[in-house]
Amino acid sequence: MSDERARLGDMDPQDFRREAHRVVDWIADYMSSVDLYPVLSRVQPGQIKAALPAEAPERGEPFERMFSDFERILMPGITHWNHPGFFAYFSITGSAPGVLADMLSSALNVQAMLWRTSPSATELEEVAVAWLRRLMGLPDSFEGVIYDTASVSTLHALAAAREAAVPDVRALGLAQRPDVPRLRVYCSEHAHSSIDKAVILLGMGHEALRRIDCDDEFRMIPDALAAAIAQDTSNGWLPVAVVATVGTTSTTSVDPVEDIQEICEEHGLWLHVDAAYAGVAAMIPGYEWILEGAGKADSLVVNPHKWLFTPFDLSVLYCRRMDLIRQAFALVPDYLETVEAAPVRNLMDTGVQLGRRFRSLKLWMVLRHFGANGIRKRLVEHMRLAQLFARWVDASADFIRVAPVPFSVVCFRADADDALNERLLDAVNAGGEVFLSHTRLQDRFTLRLAIGNLRTTEAHVARAWAILQETSLQLRAPVSQ
Amino acid sequence: MSDERARLGDMDPQDFRREAHRVVDWIADYMSSVDLYPVLSRVQPGQIKAALPAEAPERGEPFERMFSDFERILMPGITHWNHPGFFAYFSITGSAPGVLADMLSSALNVQAMLWRTSPSATELEEVAVAWLRRLMGLPDSFEGVIYDTASVSTLHALAAAREAAVPDVRALGLAQRPDVPRLRVYCSEHAHSSIDKAVILLGMGHEALRRIDCDDEFRMIPDALAAAIAQDTSNGWLPVAVVATVGTTSTTSVDPVEDIQEICEEHGLWLHVDAAYAGVAAMIPGYEWILEGAGKADSLVVNPHKWLFTPFDLSVLYCRRMDLIRQAFALVPDYLETVEAAPVRNLMDTGVQLGRRFRSLKLWMVLRHFGANGIRKRLVEHMRLAQLFARWVDASADFIRVAPVPFSVVCFRADADDALNERLLDAVNAGGEVFLSHTRLQDRFTLRLAIGNLRTTEAHVARAWAILQETSLQLRAPVSQ
C-alpha cells in the first residue's frame, strides 16, 4: 500500500524538502546577484521554443534535470523585472516577504470562491484591503476586492456602471432595445488601454469610449469633458461613466479628480479612478491631494503589484457600490449553495472569476514586513531618485525633459530626431545594465525612466544617466569615413 | 550608502534565506501531515477578521511574528484543499513540483505582457500547452493560451464567437443596431455558471443563454438543441454559439460533442467545449471518445489546476481561431509598441488581461515530474477509487447512486428525504476527516464525492464510506425519549 501510494501520489515530501531548500538557496542567491544578469533578455525570437522538446516526456523526470534546464535554457530568456536597472514600463518589485507569502499560498492551494472553502483567505482579504484603504485615506464606505489585474478591476467597475445606467441589462443585454441609447464612457487621451478593452468586452463598442483632450501637462481638461457630455447627450448618446487617472501610464500625470467628480455628480455618471500605479503615493504626507475627490468616486483601482512591492498578480478594486457588482454577477448554482452560521461574504459573488487564489496573504505580509512608515520612506526615495534624474536631464544640453515628474517616472528625449532617440533606446537596452521603455508624447518618440524596484539605488540611476549620455554622444558623433 | 540600501531596500537576502528555509520545512511538514488537520475549517464567520488588527502596523515587523500569526490565527481558518479527505467540488492538488515552480515564478516576478518582457514565459507557454494538447489528442490547429480560470477562458471563447457573428461588434457594440438581432448561446441545463456570467458580461443579457434539456444521464439532447436553434431562428434570434461540456460540474456527464459539432457546423455556430475538469482524461487509452468531435470545435477549455495537479490558478484555452480573439482585443498603445528581430507572440494581444504571471513554468514542471505515463496512471487510479465507491453505494440498502460515474465523481444520496441528506452532509463534514459537497439532481438534494487529490488513497475513500454509513445510521436511529 505505501509503495503504491508513493508510486501514485505526489512527489515524496522528503524529496520536496531537499529540492525546495535547493530552490530557496537559488532564489536567495538570485536576489543577491540579479544585477549580474543582463536586465533585458538577449535571446532571439524562437530560441527558447527551439531548445525544448515538442512532446511531454512519457516517463517522469527527476527534479534536478528540470531545474538544470530551467537554469540553462529558461534563465537566458528571462527579462529581469527584479533587476535594479529595470526602468521600463512601471518598475515593480517581487519583494522577499511577498515571495515567502506566495510560497505558503501555493502550498495551501486554497481556492477562495466561497467563505467555507477559504475562511482565512476571504477574511484576510477584507482586512488587508481595509489596511491599504486607510493608508491611502479612502473612506470606509469603499468595499475592496482583490482581482488579478487592473484590467479585470476596471472591467468590473465599468460593468457596474453599465448595471447602474441600463435597466435590466443583466437579463436583457444591449441588443434590440429601443429604450437603450448607445452608451458613452469618457477618459483622457492618456488613459490606459484596459479601458478600451473593457468597453469592447462589455458590448458597448470601442466607439463608446470618448477620449477627452488633456492640458499641456497631460491631465484631462474638465471643461472639455463637460462639453463632450453635453454634446453627446444632445446627440442621443447615454453617458455612463468617466475614468479619471491618477498616474497615467505614459507620464504619470494626475487628472483633476475633484473637478471631474463634480461633473459626474451633476450628470449622475459613474466615476472610476484608475490609480493602479500611483494611488499608493496618497499615503505620503503632502500627496493626499492626488486622491482629492476620489473619496466620492464610485470605484477606484490600485495595484499592489505595481508600486507596493507585492509579487505579480494582485490588483484591488475599491467600490462604494459593490452591491451593483453583486447584482450584475452573483449567481449561485445548486452545487455552490451554502448556509453558514452567520452571513458571510463569498468572493465568487463579486465578479466573473469563480476561483480566486489566496492572494491577500502576500499583501498582508508585505504591509507588515515594511510597515506603513517603511513603505512611505521607500516611495519617497523612489520619487527623490526620479527628481534627481529629472534635474540631470534639465541641466543637460543634449536632453530635454518632456513632462512633469509627479512620482517616480521621468519622460525625456535626446535633443534630436525620433530616429536617433529610437537608436539610443535600442543601444542603451542592448548594453544589459539598464532597460528603459518609451512612449510617444506630442507625437515624438519619448524615453521613459521608471523607478519602482527596491534594489534600485542612486548609483543605478546615475549609471543609467551615464550610459544614456555616453551612448547619445556616440550616436551623434560624425561617422568617420 | 550600504546602510541606506539596507534600510530602504528589500528584506536582507540572508534573512530571506533563513526564513525561506523555515517556510520550506513548514511546507514539507505540512505536506506530510495535512491529514492531521480538520479538512473543513471550523472557524466561525468573522472569527479571523476579529483576531486581526484594523490598521496596518506603522513600523515593520519581523517575519517570525507574521509567521507565528499565520500559524496561530490563519491556519485554523484554512480549509485544506490538499487534504486526502477533500472530496468536495472538484478535488484538486497543489503538487510539490508545481509548488517548486511557483516559488521560482514568484521570485522572478516576470510579467508576461510582451515577448520582450518575458521570452521564456511566452515561449514556454507555447511549448507547455502544445505538450498538453498532444497528450489530449487535440489537433495542432488549436492555438493555446493560458489564463487564470475557466471563467476567463470561456469568456474569451464567447467573445470570439460574438466577434465572428456580429459585424463590427468591436467598434460598434450591440446597442442601437437594427442590423443585430438578439443573440443566443446554448448549453445544457448542467453547464457551468461561468457561461451565464460570460453572456451577462458580454452585453448579450442572461436571456441570451438558452439551456437545453438533458437525457436521463445528464447529457445534452442534440435533437433538443437543433429544435431550439430552429425555433429561435424563426423567432428572430441570432444563434451564435453552443457550449458543450465534457465533465459537467454536478455529475461529470459528457455531452455528445460529435453530434453537437455537426449541428454547429450546419448552422455556422461557434462550438466551445468546456472540458475544464475532465478534458485531461482524454489522454488515457479508452477515453479518447470524450473529446470525439472536439477536434472540430472552435475552442476548448481545460484546467490543469483541476485534475492535473497544478497549483491554482492555471486554465488553458485552446482556440482554432485565435485570430478572432486577437481581432477582438489586440490594441497596442504607444508605450507598448515593440519591434523584434522576428515576428513574436505578445500575450497581451490574446485577451483582456494585459499582465500575465509566469504560469507555464508550473504546468511544464508538473508534466515533466510525473511524465505522461505517471499522469495517466494517477487519473486511472482516481477513477478506480470512484468506481469502487460507486460499487459500495450500489451494494448498500441505505444509499442510492444518482448518476453514472464516467470519471472520478460519485453522486449519491441516503435513501431518505432531503432533510436527512442535508443533516448527513453537515454531520459528516463536521467530523473533520472528510469534506464532501452537494448538488441537486432531479430536484433532490444529492451528495457528491469527488476524487482528485494525489494524497487520497483507497483507505481514505473507505474511511469516507464508513463515516457516511455510521452517520446515516445514527441519524436514522429512533431518538430515545
Side-chain angles (χ1 to χ4, degrees), chain A residues 1 4-5 7-10 13 17 20-21 24-25 29 32 43-46 48-49 53-55 57-58 60-61 66 69 74 77 79 81-82 89 93-96 102 106-107 109 111 114-117 119-120 123 126 131 134 148 151 162 170-174 176 178 180 182 192 196-197 200-203 205-207 311-313 329 331 334-335 337 341 348 351-357 359 365 368-369 372-373 376 378 381 438 440 454 457, chain B residues 1 4-5 7-10 13 17 20-21 24-25 29 32 43-46 48-49 53-55 57-58 60-61 66 69 74 77 79 81-82 89 93-96 100 102 106-107 109 111 114-117 119-120 123 126 131 134 148 151 162 170-174 176 180 182 192 196-197 200-203 205-207 311-313 329 331 334-335 337 341 348 351-357 359 365 368-369 372-373 376 378 381 438 440 454 457:
Chain A
M1 184 66 197
E4 183 183 325
R5 258 189 87 172
R7 195 167 53 80
L8 290 183
D10 196 359
R17 192 186 302 266
H21 282 304
V24 160
D25 281 326
D29 291 345
S32 313
V43 298
Q44 293 300 304
I48 303 296
K49 191 182 161 189
E55 308 267 353
E58 185 59 23
E61 298 180 49
M66 283 137 66
D69 285 352
L74 298 183
T79 290
W81 285 76
N82 261 334
Y89 313 109
T93 313
S95 71
D102 238 4
S106 293
N109 208 30
Q111 206 272 47
L114 292 169
W115 179 85
R116 73 158 40 194
T117 68
S120 282
E123 297 191 15
E126 210 177 324
W131 284 11
R134 289 185 180 181
D148 53 338
S151 302
R162 190 186 66 174
R170 170 174 168 142
L172 302 178
L174 297 171
Q176 291 293 320
V180 179
R182 291 192 67 190
H192 193 258
D196 302 69
K197 290 195 178 185
I200 292 169
L201 196 74
L202 290 164
H206 203 185
E207 289 182 5
F312 194 80
D313 46 12
F329 295 114
L331 196 151
D334 292 330
Y335 44 83
E337 260 173 24
M348 69 171 193
V352 169
Q353 288 135 325
L354 171 62
R356 315 285 175 110
R357 201 173 142 85
R359 290 190 177 90
M365 285 200 173
R368 288 187 68 174
H369 172 76
N373 187 46
R376 286 189 206 103
R378 284 163 175 83
E381 171 67 3
H438 73 281
R440 290 193 78 83
L454 288 177
T457 65
Chain B
M1 185 64 198
E4 185 182 324
R5 257 189 90 171
R7 194 169 53 80
L8 289 184
D10 196 359
R17 193 185 301 266
H21 282 303
V24 161
D25 281 326
D29 291 345
S32 314
V43 298
Q44 292 300 304
I48 303 295
K49 190 181 162 189
E55 307 267 351
E58 185 58 23
E61 297 181 51
M66 282 137 67
D69 285 353
L74 298 183
T79 290
W81 286 75
N82 261 335
Y89 314 108
T93 313
S95 71
L100 292 167
D102 238 5
S106 293
N109 208 29
Q111 206 273 48
L114 293 169
W115 179 85
R116 75 158 39 195
T117 68
S120 281
E123 298 191 13
E126 211 178 324
W131 284 11
R134 291 185 178 181
D148 53 339
S151 303
R162 190 186 66 175
R170 171 175 167 142
L172 302 178
L174 297 170
Q176 291 294 319
V180 179
R182 290 191 69 190
H192 192 258
D196 302 69
K197 291 195 179 185
I200 292 169
L201 196 73
L202 290 165
H206 202 186
E207 290 182 6
F312 194 79
D313 46 12
F329 294 113
L331 196 151
D334 293 330
Y335 45 82
E337 261 173 23
M348 69 171 193
V352 169
Q353 288 135 326
L354 172 61
R356 314 284 174 111
R357 198 173 145 85
R359 290 190 177 90
M365 287 201 172
R368 288 188 67 174
H369 171 76
N373 187 47
R376 285 189 206 102
R378 284 163 176 83
E381 171 67 2
H438 72 282
R440 290 194 78 82
L454 288 177
T457 64

Side-chain angles (χ1 to χ4, degrees), chain B residues 179-192:
Chain B
D179 61 320
V180 179
R182 290 191 69 190
L183 311 176
R184 226 19 152 181
V185 172
Y186 305 86
C187 66
S188 93
E189 49 188 344
H190 281 274
H192 192 258

Side-chain angles (χ1 to χ4, degrees), chain A residues 55-370:
Chain A
E55 308 267 353
E58 185 59 23
R59 300 179 67 86
E61 298 180 49
F63 186 77
E64 302 89 88
R65 202 182 306 163
M66 283 137 66
F67 195 61
S68 150
D69 285 352
F70 168 79
E71 289 193 278
R72 188 175 54 88
I73 300 171
L74 298 183
M75 279 303 285
I78 295 296
T79 290
H80 294 280
W81 285 76
N82 261 334
H83 193 293
F86 192 105
F87 296 115
Y89 313 109
F90 286 120
S91 175
I92 64 178
T93 313
S95 71
V99 172
L100 291 167
D102 238 4
M103 288 165 60
L104 292 167
S105 292
S106 293
L108 293 172
N109 208 30
V110 159
Q111 206 272 47
M113 59 185 178
L114 292 169
W115 179 85
R116 73 158 40 194
T117 68
S118 55
S120 282
T122 304
E123 297 191 15
L124 186 65
E125 176 163 327
E126 210 177 324
V127 169
V129 301
W131 284 11
L132 180 58
R133 180 180 62 219
R134 289 185 180 181
L135 288 176
M136 289 170 62
L138 291 170
D140 286 353
S141 50
F142 278 100
E143 185 180 339
V145 61
I146 293 177
Y147 297 116
D148 53 338
T149 59
S151 302
V152 167
S153 291
T154 291
L155 175 63
H156 282 91
L158 293 179
R162 190 186 66 174
E163 185 76 18
V166 181
D168 295 322
V169 68
R170 170 174 168 142
L172 302 178
L174 297 171
Q176 291 293 320
R177 292 190 60 181
D179 61 319
V180 179
R182 291 192 67 190
L183 310 176
R184 251 327 182 202
V185 172
Y186 305 86
C187 65
S188 94
E189 48 188 343
H190 282 273
H192 193 258
S193 53
S194 57
I195 306 162
D196 302 69
K197 290 195 178 185
V199 298
I200 292 169
L201 196 74
L202 290 164
M204 301 182 186
H206 203 185
E207 289 182 5
L209 188 61
R210 183 163 178 177
R211 287 185 174 268
I212 305 298
D213 284 345
C214 288
D215 64 19
D216 55 9
E217 296 193 352
F218 312 102
R219 300 170 299 202
M220 190 195 289
I221 301 171
D223 285 349
L225 171 66
I229 293 169
Q231 186 191 40
D232 284 347
T233 307
S234 69
N235 287 337
W237 293 81
L238 179 66
V240 164
V242 180
V243 181
T245 309
V246 173
T248 56
T249 307
S250 280
T251 71
T252 72
S253 60
V254 177
D255 285 339
V257 179
E258 200 160 21
D259 296 346
I260 294 169
Q261 192 277 324
E262 280 167 20
I263 293 168
C264 288
E265 194 168 307
E266 184 188 338
H267 296 275
L269 308 188
W270 186 283
L271 174 58
H272 175 61
V273 177
D274 177 355
Y277 154 68
V280 291
M283 67 175 79
I284 302 168
Y287 284 81
E288 301 87 350
W289 66 270
I290 66 171
L291 291 185
E292 242 162 58
K296 291 184 181 171
D298 298 285
S299 56
L300 179 145
V301 57
V302 61
N303 280 7
H305 70 222
K306 282 205 171 68
W307 200 14
L308 199 63
F309 320 136
T310 307
F312 194 80
D313 46 12
L314 199 162
S315 173
V316 181
L317 178 68
Y318 290 107
C319 188
R320 281 199 304 128
R321 306 184 64 189
M322 203 65 90
D323 58 305
L324 281 172
I325 291 184
R326 290 199 177 86
Q327 185 177 309
F329 295 114
L331 196 151
V332 184
D334 292 330
Y335 44 83
L336 294 175
E337 260 173 24
T338 52
V339 179
E340 306 297 349
V344 294
R345 195 170 175 235
N346 291 318
L347 289 174
M348 69 171 193
D349 292 338
T350 49
V352 169
Q353 288 135 325
L354 171 62
R356 315 285 175 110
R357 201 173 142 85
F358 188 179
R359 290 190 177 90
S360 53
L361 191 62
K362 57 187 172 185
L363 176 57
W364 182 67
M365 285 200 173
V366 165
L367 290 173
R368 288 187 68 174
H369 172 76
F370 295 107

Side-chain angles (χ1 to χ4, degrees), chain B residues 436-449:
Chain B
L436 282 73
S437 61
H438 72 282
T439 187
R440 290 194 78 82
L441 291 175
Q442 290 146 346
D443 207 30
R444 312 266 327 244
F445 190 91
T446 301
L447 280 67
R448 283 172 83 262
L449 179 122

Side-chain angles (χ1 to χ4, degrees), chain B residues 8-21:
Chain B
L8 289 184
D10 196 359
M11 179 189 273
D12 181 86
Q14 292 317 315
D15 289 348
F16 169 80
R17 193 185 301 266
R18 186 185 65 246
E19 299 303 338
H21 282 303

